[in-house]
Amino acid sequence: MAHSPRLTNKPLRKPDRVAGALAAGFVVLLLATEVVLTLPDETASPAAVASFYATHRTFVVILQLLGVVAAGLLGGYAWRLRTVDRVVSVAGIIMAACGLIPSLITLVIAIVADPTRPGAAGTWNALEPFGDDILFVGIVLFAGAVAVRLGRKLPALGLLALFVAVSCLIRLFLAIMGMNRGPLDAIGPLSFVLLIAVMAILSFLGILDHER
């Protein structure tokens, strides 16, 4: 005698492999572009900045274009999240747009760098911290949205997102106040990358619930 399948109120998981691939691609591309070359910081002299960028111009341009692609992947992932939570999706799109600014500033420096006239490169290099601050504002917005909107159903994800938001917010405050950021300069970005990697896995597995 055949048995009827059991009825259950538990919703079926619907993996979003496209979303997972977009997020994973962002993580891989971001890590690859960040580790291959260390750029001069805002304390470097205009002459040193111009010399560095003129020497590595082609490589820097390629890296920043890849950074723009990475931001596009992140924006695409955020767009896919609209079926999970529209607030998180909008916050993610804003964050991806904020992520373009540091890459565009660095791209301009690479283009205008001229060791015989280093002033322009020095001026744009001084704007790099502001570009980073805008990026961190976007990260805080996104991580906060994930913590509040998705943390109720996925507490572990919510706690991770809250950690990202708090660490990046403290880092942002220290930067604005001109204080030493210490390990937060690394903790904030790395925890953010971990958050996106975890969300990529959850998207692959279909654990991020769709809106009902």
Side-chain angles (χ1 to χ4, degrees), residues 2 11 17 23-25 27-28 35 40 71 75 77 127 152 169 190-191 198:
R17 294 183 177 86
V27 170
V28 171
V35 300
Y77 179 61
L127 295 176
R152 290 172 294 181
L169 186 61
L190 289 176
S191 62
V198 169

Side-chain angles (χ1 to χ4, degrees), residues 19 32 41 46 72 101 134 157 172 209:
D41 63 21
I101 296 175
I134 292 173
L157 178 66
L172 181 61
D209 292 336

